Amino acid sequence: MAGGGAGVAKRLATLLSGLLECGAFCGVIFGWASLVFVLKDLGYFEDLCQPTATPSPNRTLLPDCSRQDEQFSLVFTIGSFMNNFMTFPMGFIFDRFGTTVARLIAISLYTGGTLLVAFSTPELAVLLFPAMSMLSVGGILLILTNMQVGNLFGKYRSIIITLYNGAFDSSSAIFLIIKVLYERGLSLRAMFLFMAACSAWHLLRTLFLMPRTRVPYPLPPAYSYGLRCPGRSQSYRTYEEKRPPGEAGAEETPLEPSAPRVSTYTNAFAFTQLCGVLCAPWNGFILDRHKRGKTPRAEGARGALADLQASVLSLVVTVTQCVLFSICAAVPVLPVQFATFVLQVLSRSFLYGGNAAFLAIAFPPQHFGKLYGLAMALSALVALLQYPCVALVQGPLHGDPFYVNLGLIAVVLVAFVSPVVVARECRRRAKELGAAGTPLAAAPGAKTPAEVPH
């Protein structure tokens, strides 16, 4: 780019390094099932298991580890809650102080979380609670600062936003890699110390490949960002957008009643998470499909309306995937859960990526951080229900989740209201533009519907 702006090479480096950052660090909490396998083998919360005698021929002891499982479930519940709920205040920090401050906070939290896991022991298993929360908050703040990278690529903005959210989903496979390496002999401490050392890379990327404030949209001429030489930074303050079982003796049974089978499904679930980065851009293609035709793209008010109209199909596809996922999860046939794993990756990729892209399309860019944080905070409140749901299934329902699954399916069906509401809003705006005789291109300086405060 002429005039000292950021060239194609720098923008591609920002895009690819951000993709690696999101895919390797931001959403590791969602690979919790793989890490639990390791933590159980190391004896975390093992004191909560109670031996129960069973009338078996060799009088083995089958430990009741339901309280241990509940404790692991509680760690994940709190961690995933913090992942979403804390996005709201972090969104304010991002909007108010900009990218550099937000990323420094994220790096500090992430480093602290990895160090807590590295130095935790079965006797200090309680450290998992703050560790997972810190990893979650640090990761979501990293991806929040990365989604603005889409502004560097104009008409591919929605594709890149959804691609980053797909990478966020795929990062859950990191704990699977940790599980596999642990089974090959690497210690949990060494692996998490390595993850903590990666914070130096995050810091370098913050200094050289990210803006000090935010990336504006659309980009002004000769826009540049990052440090060009020691002590100098180029940025713009314009309108922004933004234990494995197998060695137990005759008198004892391992925690997992069927180790190879449990590990197989754990691995299958974790491997499917890798595909999130491949699935997420499909939603971006749906959102940006109207920009790829031969006819000139509408600008101004009609351009903003076209973007909003494109989101209706995205919303319909997303909700349909969520319904199918909920139905498959309710089928009490174990092989069917392979389909559930696939639908989970698809629906989550479309949901998170589509949410971020929709907010960027439908609302003023200077409020993106707050709105994205609010949406994630609301999802966090809903996520808190997973722990009482587990307790309900294991308690009054005697291990049968049928009625809980049925209720969840009914709740997900309500989400079809969202595309209907957006479609009606599109028709209303189209009538207003038609009545006002709005030209294809709005007058310079005029506010588009997406820029008008709601």
Side-chain angles (χ1 to χ4, degrees):
M1 186 177 293
V8 174
K10 184 173 183 178
R11 285 183 285 139
L12 285 176
T14 301
L15 171 64
L16 296 177
S17 61
L19 197 62
L20 176 62
E21 185 171 83
C22 293
F25 302 97
C26 293
V28 293
I29 181 68
F30 296 106
W32 179 244
S34 298
L35 187 62
V36 165
F37 193 91
V38 176
L39 296 174
K40 280 189 174 183
D41 185 64
L42 292 173
Y44 282 66
F45 301 121
E46 193 173 39
D47 57 312
L48 297 177
C49 292
Q50 301 295 327
T52 56
T54 57
S56 56
N58 55 358
R59 296 182 181 179
T60 59
L61 295 178
L62 296 176
D64 176 14
C65 293
S66 58
R67 291 184 59 196
Q68 182 193 35
D69 292 335
E70 287 180 4
Q71 199 73 355
F72 282 122
S73 176
L74 184 59
V75 173
F76 176 74
T77 299
I78 294 175
S80 59
F81 169 79
M82 295 295 288
N83 177 85
N84 294 338
F85 185 78
M86 288 303 294
T87 311
F88 189 36
M90 292 303 166
F92 274 98
I93 292 175
F94 175 58
D95 285 341
R96 174 64 180 84
F97 299 103
T99 302
T100 299
V101 173
R103 286 182 61 84
L104 290 177
I105 294 174
I107 294 169
S108 300
L109 289 170
Y110 200 91
T111 305
T114 52
L115 289 176
L116 283 177
V117 177
F119 292 104
S120 67
T121 62
E123 293 74 25
L124 293 174
V126 69
L127 291 178
L128 293 176
F129 286 96
M132 290 301 113
S133 296
M134 293 170 73
L135 288 176
S136 296
V137 178
I140 200 66
L141 192 48
L142 284 177
I143 191 176
L144 181 61
T145 62
N146 273 305
M147 281 188 290
Q148 61 183 322
V149 173
N151 297 348
L152 295 172
F153 296 89
K155 63 181 181 180
Y156 302 107
R157 180 177 59 155
S158 294
I159 295 174
I160 291 173
I161 290 175
T162 54
L163 182 65
Y164 272 28
N165 278 272
F168 174 86
D169 291 342
S170 296
S171 65
S172 59
I174 294 299
F175 282 170
L176 169 64
I177 296 174
I178 288 177
K179 172 182 177 291
V180 172
L181 293 177
Y182 172 80
E183 292 173 335
R184 298 297 186 274
L186 270 70
S187 70
L188 185 69
R189 174 168 296 182
M191 289 183 282
F192 272 88
L193 285 176
F194 173 78
M195 293 177 66
C198 289
S199 296
W201 181 77
H202 299 312
L203 184 59
L204 290 174
R205 186 168 180 271
T206 300
L207 295 176
F208 295 101
L209 292 177
M210 294 297 287
R212 186 170 60 85
T213 54
R214 284 176 293 277
V215 179
Y217 183 82
L219 290 180
Y223 174 75
S224 186
Y225 56 92
L227 292 180
R228 299 182 63 185
C229 62
R232 293 186 60 192
S233 173
Q234 292 289 327
S235 187
Y236 284 75
R237 287 184 177 272
T238 63
Y239 39 99
E240 297 98 343
E241 173 169 319
K242 326 204 239 183
R243 140 189 35 171
E247 298 183 359
E251 298 299 320
E252 199 173 290
T253 298
L255 298 180
E256 273 34 336
S258 178
R261 182 182 180 190
V262 169
S263 185
T264 297
Y265 278 88
T266 300
N267 291 346
F269 174 74
F271 273 121
T272 56
Q273 308 308 301
L274 286 169
C275 299
V277 69
L278 303 177
C279 300
W282 300 350
N283 201 7
F285 281 111
I286 294 175
L287 289 164
D288 286 341
R289 67 188 187 280
H290 61 293
K291 302 176 183 179
R292 296 189 295 273
K294 294 183 179 179
T295 58
R297 178 179 178 269
E299 300 294 340
R302 290 195 182 276
L305 177 59
D307 289 343
L308 193 62
Q309 288 171 333
S311 69
V312 175
L313 177 60
S314 170
L315 292 170
V316 171
V317 173
T318 300
V319 177
T320 301
Q321 289 175 343
C322 292
V323 171
L324 292 175
F325 161 66
S326 301
I327 292 173
C328 287
V331 176
V333 178
L334 199 56
V336 174
Q337 301 315 305
F338 287 113
T340 304
F341 298 161
V342 174
L343 286 168
Q344 187 265 347
V345 172
L346 280 171
S347 60
R348 194 175 71 183
S349 297
F350 271 66
L351 183 62
Y352 280 93
N355 170 56
F358 177 78
L359 292 176
I361 289 170
F363 297 96
Q366 63 268 29
H367 300 302
F368 176 80
K370 294 182 284 291
L371 291 172
Y372 184 79
L374 178 61
M376 298 298 285
L378 292 175
S379 69
L381 294 176
V382 176
L384 283 178
L385 296 175
Q386 62 187 336
Y387 184 73
C389 283
V390 170
L392 178 64
V393 170
Q394 293 182 346
L397 297 180
H398 306 291
D400 184 4
F402 175 75
Y403 293 105
V404 171
N405 288 332
L406 197 62
L408 292 175
I409 293 173
V411 171
V412 173
L413 286 171
V414 178
F416 276 111
V417 172
S418 178
V420 173
V421 171
V422 175
R424 292 183 61 183
E425 175 64 13
C426 289
R427 286 196 296 268
R428 184 188 68 79
R429 292 190 184 186
K431 289 180 180 179
E432 288 181 354
L433 291 175
T438 304
L440 286 178
K447 289 187 177 182
T448 66
E451 294 173 319
V452 176
H454 293 263

